[in-house]
């Protein structure tokens, strides 16, 4: 999660995602190249790590299955505005190298604003 997102409670997609997904971790920062926990997850040979980040080269998981080969899927999600997300991915050399996945949403959100 970008520090700007963490700072403002009204921007809570990262927090909601973390609360909703068991076995999730929430990391705040901009460059995760030297982040111990992130690098530990990336270096574990039992993990198949990807990053949720739409691009021309991303694997659309609606259309294509990931080849996990009995590994545990670890998905990194960047919570930031597009202007902040792109530099976060560029600066985080360890995440930048990961395969990118994307999806096409098929449901309407039930999230309500007060």
């Amino acid at each position: 999660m970008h520090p700007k997102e963490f700072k403002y409670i009204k921007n809570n997609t990262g927090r909601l995602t973390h609360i909703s997904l068991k076995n999730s971790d929430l990391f705040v920062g901009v460059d995760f190249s030297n982040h111990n926990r992130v690098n530990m997850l990336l270096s574990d040979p039992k993990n198949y790590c990807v990053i949720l980040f739409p691009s021309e080269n991303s694997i659309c998981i609606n259309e294509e299955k990931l080849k996990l080969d009995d590994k545990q899927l670890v998905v990194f999600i960047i919570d930031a505005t597009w202007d902040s997300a792109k530099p976060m991915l560029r600066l985080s050399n360890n995440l930048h190298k990961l395969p990118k996945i994307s999806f096409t949403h098929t449901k309407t959100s039930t999230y309500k604003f007060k």
Side-chain angles (χ1 to χ4, degrees):
M1 178 182 275
H2 194 280
K4 288 180 187 176
E5 296 294 315
F6 184 77
K7 186 176 173 183
Y8 300 108
I9 192 74
K10 65 180 179 179
N11 300 334
N12 57 16
T13 52
R15 285 183 187 86
L16 287 174
T17 302
H18 176 55
I19 291 168
S20 300
L21 297 174
K22 67 178 188 174
N23 296 330
S24 66
D25 291 314
L26 180 65
F27 307 123
V28 179
V30 176
D31 182 357
F32 294 94
S33 298
N34 297 311
H35 192 280
N36 289 337
R37 178 73 175 128
V38 169
N39 286 325
M40 193 168 78
L41 289 166
L42 293 170
S43 65
D44 187 336
K46 296 176 187 169
N47 292 339
Y48 182 84
C49 298
V50 297
I51 188 160
L52 179 63
F53 199 86
S55 72
E56 289 180 15
N57 300 325
S58 66
I59 300 164
C60 181
I61 59 175
N62 299 67
E63 301 167 5
E64 188 177 337
K65 277 193 163 192
L66 297 174
K67 296 174 181 83
L68 300 179
D69 298 325
D70 295 322
K71 293 185 178 186
Q72 176 179 291
L73 179 63
V74 176
V75 180
F76 289 91
I77 303 171
I78 294 178
D79 182 32
T81 62
W82 279 113
D83 286 342
S84 297
K86 290 175 184 177
M88 284 175 73
L89 185 59
R90 187 181 64 248
L91 291 171
S92 300
N93 293 322
N94 51 354
L95 299 178
H96 182 75
K97 300 172 187 174
L98 292 177
K100 294 173 183 61
I101 62 169
S102 63
F103 63 91
T104 304
H105 65 86
T106 57
K107 296 183 179 181
T108 302
S109 174
T110 58
Y111 186 81
K112 303 285 183 201
F113 293 95
K114 289 185 178 183

